Amino acid sequence: MEAQNQTIVTEILLLGFQQLDCFRIPIFLMFLIIYCLTLVANVMIITLVTLSQHLHSPMYFFLSHLLLSDILLTTNIVPNMLKVILRQGSTIPLSGCITQVHFFGTSLAAECLLLTVMSYDRYLAVCKPLHYSTIMNYNLQLKLVIGYWSISSLISIIAAFLISQLHFCHSNMINHFFCDLAPLLELSCSDTFAIDLDNSLQATPLTIFPIVFISATYVRIFKSILKIQSTIGIQKAFSTCTSHLTVVCIFYGTLFTLYVVPSKGQLLKVNKILSLMYTVVTPLFNPLIYSIYEIKTALRKYVKKIS
C-alpha cells in the first residue's frame, strides 16, 4: 500500500535563493550582466585564437577549448538560474534536470582533463623546448582534444543513464539554483548504489590523478626555471605558466571544497556561494586571467583593422 500511495515525481522545484525580497531584481540584473560579459569575453578570445596566425600554438589551441568548456558550463546553469531568481523558485522537468546534470558533468570532467593536458603542454614548453614542436604537434593536439571530450561525454552519459533508471517519489524540492547530483539523488526512492559507485569510481581519476600529475609537472617546471640564468628568460617562463596555475588553483580549490570535503554540517548558503563561484564567476575570470600580452596584441590589431 505504501508503494502504491507514493507520488511519482515528474518535475523538480528549484528553490534557488530564498528571501531575496527587494534584492531579487538587482541580483538578477547583476548575474545577467556577468553572463553576457562571460559569453562576450570567451567568444572574443576563441575568435581571436582562430583568426590570428600569431596565436596558432598549442597553448592557445587548448585555451580555446577551456573557454568552450566554460561557455558550456555557464550556459547550462545560468539561464535557468536567472528564471529561478526572478520567480523566487522555478520548476524544471525531471528529464531537463537529468540533462542539466549531464552537461554539468561533461563540462566539469572536460575542464579537469583539459587543465591536466595544459600542464603537460607547459612542461614540454619549459623543460623540453628543443623538442616541444616535434612532440606537441597538431596530430597530438587533435588526439588529446578528441580524447578528453569523448571521455568527458561518455562519463556523463553513463551517469545520466543510471539516474534515468531511478524512480523519484519523495519531495520534489531541491534547495539549490541548479540540478546538482547529490541533492537530486536524495529525492530518489530507488537504490542509488549503482550511481553512487559510478560517482566514486569517477572521482579518483578525475580529481586525484590530475592534481598529482599537475603538481609533478610544476615541480619539474620550477626546477627548470631556477636553472635559467637570464632574468628575462625567467620572467618569460613564469609568464607562460602563471595564468594556467592560477586557473588550476581556483578550479580545484572550489571543486575540492564542494565535492571532496564532507558536506555534512556545511551551511547551504556557503555551498551555494561556492557553486556560484564555480558556475558563474570563474567562467568570467578565466578569459581575464588569460588576457596575456599576445592576446591583447592580437585584439589591438583587429580593432585597428575594423576602425
Side-chain angles (χ1 to χ4, degrees), residues 64-74 107-108 110-111 149:
S64 63
H65 283 271
L66 177 68
L67 301 183
L68 184 63
S69 174
D70 283 337
I71 291 174
L72 174 64
L73 172 66
T74 192
S107 58
L108 188 71
E111 196 149 347
W149 277 116

Side-chain angles (χ1 to χ4, degrees), residues 2 22 48 53 58 78 114 127 170 204 221 234 237 260 276 284 306:
E2 184 181 351
C22 59
L48 285 173
Q53 291 290 333
V78 176
L114 182 52
C127 301
H170 294 162
T204 300
I221 288 171
I234 292 175
V260 180
L276 277 174
L284 177 61
I306 295 173

Side-chain angles (χ1 to χ4, degrees), residues 101 155-156 158-164 166 181 185 188 191-202:
V101 171
I155 288 172
S156 296
I158 293 172
F161 173 76
L162 292 174
I163 296 171
S164 67
L166 300 176
L181 179 61
L185 293 182
S188 175
D191 183 6
T192 60
F193 174 77
I195 184 65
D196 288 334
L197 178 62
D198 176 71
N199 193 40
S200 298
L201 292 175
Q202 290 178 21

Side-chain angles (χ1 to χ4, degrees), residues 86-105:
L86 199 59
R87 297 180 179 179
Q88 292 186 306
S90 179
T91 59
I92 179 174
L94 179 60
S95 58
C97 195
I98 296 173
T99 301
Q100 192 175 60
V101 171
H102 164 65
F103 283 110
F104 177 74

Side-chain angles (χ1 to χ4, degrees), residues 9 79 226:
V9 173
L226 292 176

